[in-house]
């Protein structure tokens, strides 16, 4: 354990562009600040490696729970990442090679004793769409392919399917395709770049229309007791908050708990301390590990402090 007061770094997209009322990263930073931790802000461009040592330009940061003025920076400095107790890797997808390179840099700091949330190797291993293939017992019918012919076969079998790219978030570029749709060939050609890019197809789950799209948050492999149901806006098949879905709170169902028992221990072993499972009806559709959201909405609905539960876990890890 490093001596002195705790130091937390965060790697994220520009903090000036977040929506404070909804932002889970801000909830984490507010909790760390309440605990007296010093905060340091970084973007991908601030990271570098010199002679094997992970370093960064860090700006001192203070935060406020204020929709008008939620952050202030203080002086910046260059320092080794190993000087920090924890680094929160909260950069949103796309999960491209720039993201992968950043995990290599963070892994150098991890090797020198800094706790990285989430584990760099775990982030590389667990693609949020493709990793559902590790849990077929929890998921709807699921195909990962770059073959347009196989996508057509899958659509013929299931009549109505959802097709997703593997590297983005927030409901971007997701298509609902029905058998007989005249745009089917065009959608499959565009999604796969004419057979050059892998995509995921899943059988359509009708429960999404009634708010069956749930986000379950996991802390160190264990679920938070309340879940966030996301209801698609009119005329849309996606419940993601980023595309205008509304939210309401729900209790964990028995099926939800069973899914968490299947997935949670695996994520825990990979060092994925904070994760979010997307469950529609009885089926898991995604495993979110890069920058899961939902803390602020559940905190407001139920008077929770989910970031507090997370930081209790982090404190325990740092002290062990």
């Amino acid at each position: 354990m490093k001596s002195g007061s705790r130091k937390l770094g965060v790697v994220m997209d520009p903090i000036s562009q977040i929506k404070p009322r909804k932002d889970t990263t801000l909830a984490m930073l507010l909790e760390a600040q309440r605990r007296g931790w010093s905060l340091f802000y970084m973007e991908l461009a601030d990271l570098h490696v010199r002679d094997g040592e992970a370093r960064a330009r860090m700006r001192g940061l203070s935060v406020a729970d204020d929709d008008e003025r939620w952050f202030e920076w203080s002086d910046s400095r260059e320092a080794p990442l190993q000087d920090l107790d924890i680094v929160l890797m909260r950069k949103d997808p796309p999960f491209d090679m720039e993201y992968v390179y950043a995990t290599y840099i963070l892994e150098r700091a991890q090797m020198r004793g800094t706790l990285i949330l989430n584990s760099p190797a775990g982030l590389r291993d667990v693609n949020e769409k493709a990793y559902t293939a590790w849990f077929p017992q929890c998921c709807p019918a699921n195909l990962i392919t770059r073959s347009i012919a196989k996508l057509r076969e899958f659509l013929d079998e299931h009549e109505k399917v959802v097709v997703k790219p593997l590297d983005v978030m927030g409901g971007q570029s997701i298509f609902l395709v029905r058998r007989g749709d005249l745009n089917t060939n065009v959608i499959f050609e565009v999604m796969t770049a004419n057979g050059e890019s892998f995509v995921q197809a899943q059988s359509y789950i009708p429960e999404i229309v009634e708010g069956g799209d749930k986000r379950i948050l996991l802390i160190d492999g264990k679920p938070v007791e309340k879940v966030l149901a996301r209801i698609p806006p009119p005329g849309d098949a996606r419940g993601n908050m980023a595309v205008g879905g509304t939210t309401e709170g729900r209790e964990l169902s028995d099926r939800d708990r069973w899914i968490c028992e299947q997935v949670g221990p695996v994520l825990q072993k990979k060092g994925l301390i904070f994760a979010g499972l997307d469950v529609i009806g009885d089926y898991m559709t995604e495993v979110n590990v890069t920058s899961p959201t939902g803390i602020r909405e559940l905190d407001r609905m139920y008077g929770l402090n989910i970031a507090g539960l997370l930081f209790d876990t982090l404190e325990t890890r740092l002290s062990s």
Side-chain angles (χ1 to χ4, degrees), residues 31-150:
E31 179 62 26
Q33 185 172 268
R34 277 192 290 268
R35 295 179 182 228
W37 293 27
S38 300
L39 307 181
F40 298 92
Y41 173 87
M42 295 163 280
E43 296 177 17
L44 288 197
D46 296 315
L47 304 176
H48 62 279
V49 176
R50 177 63 188 266
D51 300 326
E53 181 179 69
R55 302 180 63 85
R57 181 178 77 103
M58 307 176 188
R59 282 176 275 187
L61 177 68
S62 60
V63 290
D65 195 1
D66 184 333
D67 286 345
E68 300 298 325
R69 189 181 179 90
W70 58 90
F71 75 98
E72 287 186 1
W73 288 319
S74 55
D75 293 342
S76 67
R77 64 188 179 100
E78 183 181 311
L81 289 177
Q82 69 198 52
D83 287 356
L84 303 172
D85 294 278
I86 292 179
V87 174
L88 305 178
M89 177 47 161
R90 293 286 300 174
K91 170 74 175 67
D92 286 340
F95 191 90
D96 53 15
M97 285 309 300
E98 290 302 304
Y99 191 103
V100 171
Y101 297 147
T103 68
Y104 293 148
I105 296 173
L106 293 174
E107 191 162 16
R108 292 299 301 165
Q110 184 184 52
M111 294 172 70
R112 302 274 181 104
T114 298
L115 178 60
I116 311 295
L117 186 157
N118 281 316
S119 162
L123 290 173
R124 293 193 297 269
D125 283 352
V126 179
N127 177 278
E128 300 187 324
K129 312 293 194 299
Y131 205 65
T132 55
W134 271 247
F135 306 97
Q137 72 275 25
C138 301
C139 300
N142 193 349
L143 170 69
I144 297 171
T145 186
R146 52 196 283 178
S147 165
I148 294 173
K150 289 194 177 299

Side-chain angles (χ1 to χ4, degrees), residues 12 17 22 46 69 73 81 114 119 156 177 185 191-192 195 235 262 276 307 311-312 319:
M12 61 187 294
Q17 297 178 19
K22 296 183 176 182
D46 296 315
R69 189 181 179 90
W73 288 319
L81 289 177
T114 298
S119 162
D156 285 341
V177 186
N185 286 338
M191 291 289 288
T192 65
Q262 305 297 302
F311 273 80
D312 287 345
S319 299

Side-chain angles (χ1 to χ4, degrees), residues 202-250:
Q202 294 176 330
S203 59
Y204 176 71
I205 308 167
E207 286 86 348
I208 189 172
V209 176
E210 301 167 355
D213 183 2
K214 297 173 285 188
R215 166 61 56 83
I216 303 172
L217 296 177
L218 299 179
I219 297 175
D220 214 17
K222 299 293 192 298
V224 175
E225 286 299 311
K226 306 296 183 180
V227 304
L228 193 66
R230 300 171 298 182
I231 303 166
D236 205 318
R238 301 166 297 172
N240 307 73
M241 292 180 282
V243 297
T246 57
T247 59
E248 61 183 50
R250 300 271 177 87

